[in-house]
């Protein structure tokens, strides 16, 4: 039996090797603290759980167990539109400019099927969420890497994209607030990106699942606030991080109607939508708890940020508090030859703590590592104590 050539295009999963090492350590009886993955530890708000249970048990809704794609809950796209209006002053037509997705990953993985033909190019930031590249490759396209560098505040340098590449490009991926670098983008940058996309007839796919995880009143802009953005942009967002709902699988694709329709057609043929009860809970989240992300940022993540950055700065780093996301992106300290893998290995061996080596996100990210704050306070505290000892 021969698997498809397509599978050979997929590089080893970022966390697979790390996962193997963690399992080996745990098998030796070592208490490994993994700060590797960004999956909120706090539970989903009770009111949303109650709403989902209500909807599941609602005998007045004969469709409650049925395909959520065919019989959509109108309240969800309406709540998305209401949220964009209130949060960003962006008006969306719930029928043509909003699509319910199975988390944002679903939209990200499937949009290339609607816009990339074999030989077409997607402009992909590096470091970046691996699905931008893999989705492109699966659709038969090629990724052109836009390196993100500290010197440019982790923004791509659009003027460095060669003219022939811009001509072949169909999609440009952006992601702010950014995973893994925690960088943010200004509306001014989004305006530049939109202008670039209009000039070269490119669809901007802006991935924004950390837009609500922000500190000290910072509000991340939506790309749809940029002038003329709806002509060339689609934005992906998600309830995963804002409402501690990663496992529920609900998100949104919003913006350019042609892009929304294209993605919708692909999805009609590969999935059957989101469970209705989850759509009801999602609608309630966006309608009734729009500030929940900002609240957990202040109450849950900010104290953790202070703990981690406080420790790292005490032992030699010079990090600033990020404006957004629950990630800390930091340079590998001296003594490891700039190798993020060697540093991560050292922390696993000496401290039993897992951090994500930047190299796993591609060459442009070498020399850095990422730490996620989605772990209980006492475990983070302990991880910091162990790291401090291991680096003495
Ligand atoms: C940058 C980025 N985009 C998209 C996702 C996917 O999130 P979800 O599918 O849960 O919305 C993640 C998850 O970690 C992410 O970090």
């Amino acid at each position: 039996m021969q698997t498809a050539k397509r599978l050979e295009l997929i590089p080893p999963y970022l966390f697979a090797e790390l996962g193997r090492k963690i399992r080996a350590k745990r098998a030796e009886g070592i208490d490994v603290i993994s700060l590797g993955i960004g999956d909120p530890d706090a539970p989903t708000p009770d009111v949303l759980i109650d709403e989902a249970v209500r909807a599941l048990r609602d005998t007045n809704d004969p469709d409650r167990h049925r395909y959520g794609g065919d019989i959509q809950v109108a309240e969800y796209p309406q709540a998305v539109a209401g949220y964009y209006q209130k949060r960003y002053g962006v008006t969306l037509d719930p029928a043509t400019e909003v699509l319910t997705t199975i988390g944002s990953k679903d939209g990200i993985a499937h949009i290339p099927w609607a816009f990339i033909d074999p030989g077409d190019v997607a402009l992909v930031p590096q470091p970046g969420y691996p699905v931008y590249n893999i989705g492109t490759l699966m659709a038969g396209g090629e990724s052109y890497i836009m390196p993100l560098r500290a010197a440019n505040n982790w923004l791509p340098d659009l003027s460095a994209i060669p003219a022939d590449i811009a001509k072949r490009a169909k999609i440009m991926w952006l992601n702010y607030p950014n995973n893994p670098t925690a960088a943010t983008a200004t509306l001014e940058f989004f305006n530049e990106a939109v202008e670039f996309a209009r000039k070269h007839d490119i669809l901007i796919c802006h991935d924004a699942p950390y837009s609500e995880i922000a500190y000290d009143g910072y509000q991340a802009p939506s790309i749809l606030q940029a002038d003329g953005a709806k002509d060339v942009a689609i934005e992906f967002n998600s309830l995963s991080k804002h409402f501690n709902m990663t496992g529920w699988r609900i998100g949104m694709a919003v913006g350019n109607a042609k892009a929304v329709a294209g993605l919708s057609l692909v999805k009609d043929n590969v999935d059957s939508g989101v469970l209705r009860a989850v759509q009801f809970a999602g609608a309630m989240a966006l309608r009734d708890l729009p500030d929940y992300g900002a609240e957990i940022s202040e109450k849950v993540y900010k104290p953790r940020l202070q703990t981690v950055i406080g420790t790292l700065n005490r032992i030699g780093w010079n990090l600033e508090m990020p404006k957004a996301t629950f990630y800390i992106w930091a340079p590998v300290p001296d003594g490891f030859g700039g190798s993020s893998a060697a540093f991560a290995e050292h922390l696993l061996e000496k401290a039993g703590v897992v951090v994500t080596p930047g190299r796993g996100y591609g060459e442009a990210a070498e020399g850095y590592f990422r730490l996620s704050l989605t772990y209980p306070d006492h475990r983070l505290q302990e991880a910091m104590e162990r790291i401090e000892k291991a680096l003495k």
Side-chain angles (χ1 to χ4, degrees):
M1 211 170 35
Q2 183 76 42
T3 53
K5 297 242 173 336
R6 193 178 300 114
L7 285 194
E8 292 160 23
L9 298 170
I10 302 179
Y13 184 55
L14 174 61
F15 299 110
E17 179 58 14
L18 205 57
R20 196 189 57 71
K21 286 186 180 153
I22 296 169
R23 280 192 299 279
K25 284 276 161 216
R26 286 188 173 142
E28 286 170 34
I30 292 167
D31 170 31
V32 176
I33 305 179
S34 170
L35 308 180
I37 296 185
D39 191 350
D41 56 313
T44 306
D46 276 341
V47 284
L48 303 183
I49 296 171
D50 291 345
E51 173 63 0
V53 171
R54 179 205 64 71
L56 272 173
R57 292 203 176 278
D58 182 3
T59 46
N60 292 321
D61 178 5
D63 298 324
R64 66 192 184 284
H65 62 286
R66 303 177 78 190
Y67 292 124
D70 294 342
I71 316 153
Q72 291 199 20
V73 172
E75 285 86 341
Y76 182 72
Q78 281 162 7
V80 170
Y83 166 78
Y84 263 78
Q85 188 72 59
K86 207 165 139 195
R87 180 63 91 235
Y88 302 116
V90 168
T91 305
L92 294 171
D93 174 359
T96 59
E97 295 175 328
V98 177
L99 184 68
T100 309
T101 60
I102 308 173
S104 54
K105 190 178 195 176
D106 163 32
I108 295 164
H110 289 125
I111 191 88
W113 290 92
F115 283 87
I116 297 279
D117 280 320
D120 286 344
V121 166
L123 305 172
V124 173
Q126 190 187 89
Y129 187 57
V131 188
Y132 313 141
N133 175 39
I134 307 285
T136 303
L137 300 180
M138 296 285 262
E142 292 168 30
S143 296
Y144 175 84
I145 299 301
M146 301 187 292
L148 308 184
R149 306 216 186 271
N152 200 34
N153 299 317
W154 307 104
L155 296 169
D157 177 1
L158 303 181
S159 68
I161 297 167
D164 60 317
I165 295 290
K167 205 166 161 192
R168 286 173 58 208
K170 291 287 180 60
I171 284 180
M172 172 160 67
W173 283 103
L174 295 174
N175 162 226
Y176 295 96
N178 186 260
N179 173 18
T181 68
T184 54
T186 58
L187 190 52
E188 198 185 345
F189 171 75
F190 284 157
N191 274 318
E192 257 175 56
V194 165
E195 209 180 298
F196 182 91
R198 291 173 75 100
K199 184 167 163 205
H200 298 287
D201 204 13
I202 293 171
L203 174 69
I204 296 182
C205 294
H206 182 234
D207 180 25
Y210 299 97
S211 57
E212 295 287 343
I213 306 300
Y215 307 100
D216 300 326
Y218 172 72
Q219 200 200 301
S222 159
I223 195 146
L224 298 181
Q225 291 174 296
D227 299 330
K230 258 205 228 170
D231 295 341
V232 291
I234 187 168
E235 185 159 86
F236 299 94
N237 210 323
S238 170
L239 279 64
S240 287
K241 321 282 171 161
H242 309 335
F243 301 101
N244 303 331
M245 291 176 80
T246 45
W248 294 60
R249 312 311 300 137
I250 184 161
M252 67 200 77
V254 296
N256 181 273
K258 195 170 177 183
V260 165
L263 178 59
S264 177
L265 184 58
V266 173
K267 279 175 49 56
D268 282 348
N269 289 283
V270 295
D271 69 64
S272 300
V274 172
L275 179 70
R276 281 169 69 80
V278 173
Q279 294 184 52
F280 277 113
M284 176 186 266
L286 292 169
R287 204 178 47 230
D288 297 351
L289 308 177
D291 299 325
Y292 193 77
E295 275 170 37
I296 53 174
S297 300
E298 282 306 308
K299 284 194 198 135
V300 179
Y301 300 125
K302 193 170 165 185
R304 294 179 183 177
L305 264 180
Q306 286 164 335
T307 301
V308 173
I309 290 200
T311 306
L312 294 180
N313 282 355
R314 196 172 55 244
I315 58 177
W317 273 270
N318 186 17
L319 304 172
E320 286 178 14
M321 291 281 284
K323 285 199 189 113
T325 80
F326 43 55
Y327 298 118
I328 292 172
W329 182 245
V332 168
D334 291 344
F336 297 92
S339 163
S340 54
F343 177 63
E345 180 101 29
H346 178 81
L347 288 189
L348 182 59
E349 286 300 324
K350 301 282 180 226
V353 173
V354 177
V355 299
T356 312
R359 186 67 182 83
Y361 293 99
E363 257 166 59
E366 181 53 301
Y368 283 80
F369 68 97
R370 190 194 77 175
L371 246 155
S372 171
L373 301 172
T374 52
Y375 297 89
D377 296 353
H378 70 282
R379 292 295 274 170
L380 261 182
Q381 183 71 47
E382 185 177 341
M384 288 304 111
E385 284 161 16
R386 291 197 207 168
I387 288 177
E388 192 165 357
K389 244 196 226 156
L391 294 179
K392 262 198 184 136

